[in-house]
Amino acid sequence: MEKSSALPMTVGYPASPNNKQDIHGIRTKRRFGRVARIIFWLAALVFSVHLLVCNSSQTSSWPWRNRHGHGHNKKKHTDFKSQCVQPDPLFPSKDSSLDAIFDYINTPAFRNETIDRLSGAIRVKSESFDDLGAIGTDPRWDVFYDFYAYLAKTFPLIHAKLKVEKVNTHGLLYTWEGSDVSLKPTLLMAHQDTVPVPPETIPSWTHPPWSGFYDGEYIWGRGASDCKNQLIATMETLELLLEASFQPRRTILLSFGFDEECSGLQGAQSLSAHIHDRYGDDGIAVIVDEGSTYEESWGTLFAKPGTAEKGYTDVFITVRMAGGHSSVPPKHTSIGVVAELITEIESEEYSTTLDSSNPYYTQLQCGAAYSDSFPSKLKDLLSSRHQEGPETSTCHKSKDKLALEAAKQGPEIQYLMQTSQAVDVISGGIKVNALPERVTVTVNHRINIGETPEIVYARLTKLATPIAKKHNLTLHAFDSVAPTTPELSISLYTSNHTLQVAPITPANGSDVTSPYAILAGTTRAFHAKGEEIIVTPGIMTGNTDTRYYWDLTKHIFRFSPGWDPKDGKGLGNGIHTVDERVSVVNHASSVRWFLGFVRNMDEADI
């Protein structure tokens, strides 16, 4: 056999004319593998350092810091009192005739008179409804003629000596002109209307809801604490000052809406426009409307005038699917699809975050400053936040440890720092043997400080997209397509009452000439516990008529100043439910506070 002249083949490589190219490709793959491994280990190293930095920033316990005496055992002291300055109690200047009013409020004569006045106001059945028609057409508005007639009879001096204007028929604006036109007015607010009493709940009331019954301690009835008590208290304040021949330097305004319980579109919106036409942007010195009250936390009593309100948006979800006889149903009816989407919505809450502009952040600092039983863990987290600033780095995108720890106190605190969602209304289906063609759900949201309604719209769109695809439905997410379209679809759309988070009222207790300091000083002067009470900015989870007054002043306070140690927690006894009531002690203390506040504002040169 003849020997071959070819070179022996290299083991592991095919004999082919492209052998050099194959060798080059394998070497390239090996180099790529080495590069990939290097990248992987570098990424792992970066991630590990990131975790170390995040954890260290939480605990301030870098190992090398401790070696040099800068570890977590050497934390900088936080002066929380400087973040929660308490103004001294503020009393008006001495005036024997005016000071005598305070003594009169403590007499049995005033007690009996104020019981009669508030009871009479409750007996006027001034309900407002979401489906009210036009004023002058829907007779349910006519009750406000009766309420005005009651006020005119009960407070004769106000109606004889002050300017009284009716705005949009039933809105009431009282003006007591001051002698110094350079001073911006003080504006006190309340609303004439109440939420309806469902007829089926009437048997559950201890005393009839429109009786104004007085049991020796409480006045019972719808509106007793929301908020005919505040309306009557401000009227009593001015009537008493008129009786004492008080002459204000600063103009005093009373503004009473009549549909606050259904968003104030006819009442407060019209009144605010009327006032704005007269005084212009930032033309009012201070506004006080109904709102937050008092709260005992960590062994300390706090007064919490509301300096902020959460935002608001209602989202409607409409599912349209084919109808038909229920004996031949699809796998999922429109009600089933809505139920699936509701389950997704409720399966996860919005994040709990405490923005530094949120008034509850200030209350925490007040608690750390003045409450002996303030939790140590909360204080440590608060100190870290105060020293390091808001948690805005990538370490904190998923959770706010301070907010989460504070939220452990209960849902009332949690929702001061979280956008809420509540599936409140559902409608669909008309007959047991007919498939529902259209189902609509309403989801109510209250928007957290530092957030906007757009986060709600984005989240609901994200949740609805796969469900629409799964059931072969067209998704209309906050577009211009009407939800009445016959198309098989899921429609997401909002009401006309969407509201951004309210502007935050300045609340610096160290500025003794500011409206906040005057309000806080008045509260410490005329509250039964005096200097023992700590005044801190509060936040409203609901909304008030002040939503229409933002342009009139930066100094808006939602505050119900009446106090009775026997009252329960929250906004009041029975608000929006059965057995609404207010104690006479609470109501009389409210009148006392308004008298002090009006006089203190009158003496202030702001």
Side-chain angles (χ1 to χ4, degrees):
M1 179 179 290
E2 191 173 281
K3 291 183 178 179
S4 171
S5 61
L7 294 173
M9 289 187 297
T10 303
V11 177
Y13 289 90
S16 72
N18 297 321
N19 191 35
K20 290 183 179 181
Q21 295 178 2
D22 291 336
I23 292 172
H24 176 73
I26 288 173
R27 287 174 178 172
T28 299
K29 290 179 180 178
R30 286 176 176 173
R31 284 197 297 271
F32 178 78
R34 286 194 296 271
V35 171
R37 285 192 294 273
I38 292 171
I39 292 173
F40 171 81
W41 288 112
L42 282 174
L45 178 62
V46 169
F47 181 70
S48 298
V49 171
H50 176 75
L51 289 178
L52 179 62
V53 169
C54 289
N55 290 333
S56 298
S57 68
Q58 292 291 316
T59 61
S60 299
S61 57
W62 291 83
W64 52 86
R65 282 186 180 179
N66 286 333
R67 287 198 299 269
H68 296 284
H70 300 295
H72 66 283
N73 292 325
K74 297 289 186 178
K75 274 189 176 180
K76 181 181 177 182
H77 172 70
T78 302
D79 181 13
F80 289 114
K81 286 189 177 180
S82 68
Q83 307 301 312
C84 182
V85 175
Q86 296 298 299
D88 292 333
L90 182 62
F91 295 92
S93 300
K94 291 291 185 180
D95 183 305
S96 58
S97 61
L98 295 177
D99 293 344
I101 301 174
F102 295 115
D103 296 329
Y104 177 65
I105 291 174
N106 295 324
T107 66
F110 176 79
R111 181 185 181 92
N112 292 334
E113 291 167 3
T114 197
I115 291 168
D116 287 343
R117 284 189 285 259
L118 182 51
S119 294
I122 292 169
R123 286 193 289 271
V124 181
K125 191 178 180 181
S126 55
E127 296 171 300
S128 61
F129 301 88
D130 289 341
D131 62 347
L132 280 163
I135 296 173
T137 300
D138 192 326
R140 290 177 293 177
W141 291 112
D142 294 347
V143 67
F144 295 102
Y145 290 120
D146 299 332
F147 193 75
Y148 172 72
Y150 175 77
L151 294 179
K153 179 185 69 174
T154 306
F155 301 101
L157 289 179
I158 287 177
H159 290 84
K161 296 187 177 184
L162 271 55
K163 182 179 181 180
V164 184
E165 296 172 272
K166 295 182 179 180
V167 180
N168 196 17
T169 307
H170 299 299
L172 298 178
L173 179 63
Y174 296 87
T175 303
W176 191 349
E177 293 287 355
S179 60
D180 189 343
V181 295
S182 69
L183 297 176
K184 296 178 182 180
T186 293
L187 173 55
L188 307 179
M189 295 174 57
H191 58 89
Q192 307 168 60
D193 62 311
T194 73
V195 294
V197 175
E200 63 273 16
T201 68
I202 292 177
S204 299
W205 284 70
T206 303
H207 301 287
W210 305 107
S211 66
F213 182 83
Y214 175 57
D215 66 0
E217 184 175 5
Y218 290 93
I219 302 169
W220 297 71
R222 177 61 80 229
S225 55
D226 183 20
C227 72
K228 289 182 177 179
N229 58 327
Q230 191 137 329
L231 186 151
I232 295 299
T234 58
M235 293 289 277
E236 288 178 319
T237 296
L238 267 59
E239 190 82 1
L240 288 167
L241 289 172
L242 284 166
E243 289 178 358
S245 300
F246 176 63
Q247 297 293 331
R249 292 195 311 146
R250 185 186 302 277
T251 294
I252 304 168
L253 305 177
L254 302 182
S255 180
F256 301 149
F258 56 93
D259 62 341
E260 191 272 346
E261 299 294 359
C262 45
S263 297
L265 293 170
Q266 301 298 323
Q269 184 168 244
S270 299
L271 283 159
S272 66
H274 185 79
I275 297 169
H276 188 272
D277 287 344
R278 184 168 295 163
Y279 298 102
D281 285 349
D282 199 30
I284 301 297
V286 65
I287 293 176
V288 178
D289 192 14
E290 63 168 338
S292 303
T293 56
Y294 301 86
E295 174 186 292
E296 187 160 349
S297 296
W298 316 302
T300 302
L301 182 63
F302 293 90
K304 300 178 60 177
T307 59
E309 285 185 359
K310 296 177 76 174
Y312 180 102
T313 188
D314 286 324
V315 175
F316 302 105
I317 303 171
T318 295
V319 176
R320 293 191 63 91
M321 295 179 68
H325 200 283
S326 61
S327 63
V328 189
K331 289 184 178 180
H332 302 281
T333 69
S334 56
I335 291 177
V337 173
V338 159
E340 183 178 351
L341 183 50
I342 290 173
T343 300
E344 286 296 312
I345 291 170
E346 292 190 337
S347 66
E348 183 178 347
E349 295 182 321
Y350 289 87
S351 60
T352 305
T353 57
L354 182 57
D355 191 90
S356 59
S357 66
N358 189 320
Y360 190 66
Y361 180 56
T362 303
Q363 185 180 349
L364 288 176
Q365 295 181 91
C366 291
Y370 297 102
S371 302
D372 292 337
S373 59
F374 191 78
S376 57
K377 183 174 182 180
L378 203 53
K379 195 169 189 175
D380 288 343
L381 289 168
L382 187 63
S383 183
S384 296
R385 168 76 74 87
H386 183 74
Q387 294 174 26
E388 298 170 11
E391 297 169 343
T392 55
S393 73
T394 55
C395 302
H396 307 293
K397 282 185 177 179
S398 61
K399 57 185 177 180
D400 181 333
K401 289 189 175 182
L402 174 62
L404 291 171
E405 184 65 25
K408 292 177 182 178
Q409 298 171 95
E412 296 86 356
I413 302 301
Q414 174 186 343
Y415 285 112
L416 299 178
M417 306 173 289
Q418 180 179 313
T419 293
S420 63
Q421 58 184 14
V423 182
D424 287 332
V425 182
I426 186 168
S427 62
I430 57 173
K431 205 172 186 300
V432 71
N433 61 351
L435 297 174
E437 297 177 276
R438 176 188 172 99
V439 179
T440 298
V441 169
T442 306
V443 189
N444 174 257
H445 302 83
R446 308 298 174 121
I447 311 301
N448 190 19
I449 307 298
E451 297 176 350
T452 67
E454 283 67 31
I455 68 163
V456 169
Y457 309 150
R459 177 174 180 265
L460 293 180
T461 300
K462 181 180 178 181
L463 293 176
T465 298
I467 293 176
K469 183 177 181 180
K470 172 183 175 182
H471 298 285
N472 198 27
L473 301 172
T474 301
L475 177 62
H476 294 290
F478 309 102
D479 57 21
S480 58
V481 178
T484 55
T485 174
E487 183 181 28
L488 303 184
S489 61
I490 298 178
S491 296
L492 309 178
Y493 52 104
T494 66
S495 72
N496 295 324
H497 304 321
T498 294
L499 190 67
Q500 297 290 335
V501 171
I504 310 296
T505 298
N508 183 2
S510 62
D511 181 3
V512 295
T513 63
S514 69
Y516 175 79
I518 293 170
L519 182 146
T522 301
T523 303
R524 303 189 80 209
F526 291 96
H527 194 277
K529 287 199 171 184
E531 294 188 37
E532 294 180 31
I533 194 169
I534 301 300
V535 184
T536 178
I539 176 175
M540 296 288 293
T541 54
N543 300 110
T544 66
D545 272 344
T546 60
R547 74 186 79 181
Y548 299 106
Y549 289 72
W550 295 351
D551 291 340
L552 284 167
T553 182
K554 298 179 179 66
H555 305 285
I556 299 177
F557 301 98
R558 301 96 175 159
F559 187 44
S560 297
W563 184 75
D564 183 342
K566 294 181 181 179
D567 287 344
K569 292 183 179 181
L571 293 174
N573 292 304
I575 284 182
H576 287 208
T577 186
V578 300
D579 282 349
E580 184 176 350
R581 62 197 182 277
V582 66
S583 74
V584 177
V585 170
N586 179 301
H587 181 66
S589 71
S590 183
V591 178
R592 185 181 300 107
W593 186 91
F594 277 113
L595 281 164
F597 181 71
V598 167
R599 288 180 59 190
N600 281 333
M601 280 298 300
D602 196 66
E603 295 179 9
D605 292 318
I606 58 174

